[in-house]
Amino acid sequence: MKRLAVLTSGGDAPGMNAALRAVVRTALDLGAEVFAIYEGYQGMIEGGNRIRALNWDTVGGILHKGGTIIGTARSLEFRTRQSRLKAVHNLVQHGINALVVIGGDGSLTGANILHKEWPALLAELVNQGTISAEQAAQVPFLTIAGIVGSIDNDMYGTDMTIGADTALHRIVDAVDAISSTAASHQRAFVVEVMGRHCGYLALMGALASGADFAIIPENPPDGDNWEEKMCEILRDGRRIGRRDSIVIIAEGAQDRKGNPITSDHVKQVLEEKLGEDVRITVLGHVQRGGSPSAHDRILSTLMGAAAAKAALEATDASEPLLIGNRNNKIVELPLIACVETNHTINEAVRTHNYKKAMQLRGPGFQGSFDILRTLVRALPHPPKPGQKQIRFAIINAGGAAPGMNAAVRAAVRLGVDRGHIPIGVKRGFRGLINEDLVELDWMAVNGWTPVGGSELGTSRKVPEDRELYSIARTLEKHKIDAILMIGGWAGYKAVLKLYQERQHYPAFNIPILCLPASIDNNLPFSDFSIGADTALNSITEAVDKIKQSAVASNRCFVIEVMGHYCGYLALMTALATGAERAYIHEEGVALAALKEDIDMLSAGFEHGKRLALMIRNEHANPLYTTPFLAALFEQEGGDLYDVRIAVLGHLQQGGNPSPFDRVNAVRMANAAVHFLEEEFLNNPKTKNSEAAVVCVGMGNDHIQWTPMYEIARAYDEEFQRPKQQWWMNLRALVHMLAQPDPYFAKRNRQSA
Ligand code: ADP
């Protein structure tokens, strides 16, 4: 049998506990014994009670906690072979032969060294007589899986590291707050964020908050006179009416020659050259602390589960693995190659090889940097002489989704900068029917990024009959060349309608793009729709509070969440909150499964469980309603526990958009503008071309395009959700993680 140890090391990151929980429960579920090594590598060297067995319940109730409950440390000692010899001795004494390390690139380097030296250190211990040959023979090799816990998102190979999304939440919240005070006094603020070698937080923080300038280590501002250029942008911004100026700077920012750029220096420059009233805010450790975001809880859980599995399945020939995520998939990567490439990036930054550094950060990073450069401009580039201008209508349709405004703003600015003319349509397709349009210029969308809801107004109107005629007339009268619809299913349906009526209305023969925005995440051809991450965070925060309300008694909550017929929010809520069960329409609710759930609840509460969460999608089953489920559990639970209902309602649709939604909104809007331009200017067949009506989405290849005519193949119109949903295969994990330990033990005994 394998014995697996897990440790957290280096800087702490929100989500480490969620990862720990997943590692421990997955390993137990796979039949391993599990140990925690407290205080990182230092604990491994010290041994004794620093290495302790963990059980199912030790990692209960920690999913939402920031930091790491098993402690972390920086251990200078571990860098010496002599100390690692001690560490190996301690591991051998516990028969540990698999290790999961959750930490930054230093911690993973340490893990790799341990892996390589293991056989030699074992032999040395046997030679010394410290351990017996039999003991050594029991653990001939140490298998290793690493997870990157780092708020900086600074690891090559993985799109995201644990903690980065939460840190972005802190930054974006802070900049939103600072913006309002800055605007009141017409002040300038320099906001310093973490990131010694990596500008991810500064870059994405700026993209998501609508800041006016960002300075990152990998791509310093151009030229010797960058200060002058920065001031020019900010000066122009003031001239056209911006009330605040916000510069975000990474702590490791430097100029092209490698001289550090400090917040103090930027402040001084702004004061001297612009005569601004400047304040500095150094965000510091708030970025590291606090409860992890929904995204981090889920990512950590998926990575933790994959790491335990990888470490337990690895063989003597296996090199250490890094568990990463790429294009929304959990992947196993060669740990050492990733760490080495990371060192190459850091080295490139150190030696001012910025081109290489940016290249190695990947196309997503480079692309976001380019978008930011345009968005922070005070004014657009003037149109090139003789350039064909596209007049494109922007519509919000369907229910309001947080992030719609960020997408509209980005589409307007990126479009205007490329010489085109965006026309805002008010209140969805009603606005096209009633000719309610407004031309949007650069400043018309100023300050829209952080605002929830829809500034243009949205509606669920799907045009019919004579309304189509009105729309055709509006499009012709206003010479609309293309349409960008940012919205939910009602919007897709409306676009589909126009598409199907092309033969009858020549005005509809234009490129039309659908950009997914709906909290339900039920739209075709995209893994994520804008708004869903915000909703998930709102729900997760609400469920955290609901949990805290139940301290005194044994209680089961039945919590109803939105989603229409799509179970995404319900299932992801279950993953992010550690709920026992998610009832979703895709799976249906069967009496036999309910019976099993009742048994599971009873077993859990009998063995000391105090709280259970059953998440129900609003349309999971028309007859087994939320009150029905609650009544069933209440009756069957007897005196073991009582039951309460929480229907979360509209708080799920409101709120300021999360950083993830803002960044995705901007990136998809950018892709949309480019597609439009490409279709319209470079594709002479655009008119009557079926391929000109498309859906943009976040998918396998980050941003993808799918022609509208594919919709019947991929979409279930009756239940308004994609026929294949990527997250459906996460159900087993929810089930596994939420089983109560006694139940698990009983089942194991039965199968033994
Ligand atoms: P992070 O893991 O967040 O990058 P550090 O770089 O401080 O943080 O590394 C954490 C710990 O990992 C160190 O304190 C040390 O114990 C171990 N470690 C880092 N680099 C090495 C190395 N080259 N050899 C052995 N151990 C290392």
Side-chain angles (χ1 to χ4, degrees), residues 645-663:
I645 289 176
V647 178
L648 296 185
H650 280 82
L651 73 82
Q652 298 165 80
Q653 261 185 336
N656 296 344
S658 68
F660 186 77
D661 278 335
R662 296 183 196 192
V663 168

Side-chain angles (χ1 to χ4, degrees), residues 486-504:
I486 299 166
W489 177 240
Y492 281 69
K493 236 164 112 178
V495 169
L496 197 57
K497 191 94 184 186
L498 300 193
Y499 175 65
Q500 286 160 345
E501 296 288 335
R502 285 150 75 98
Q503 291 91 334
H504 302 122

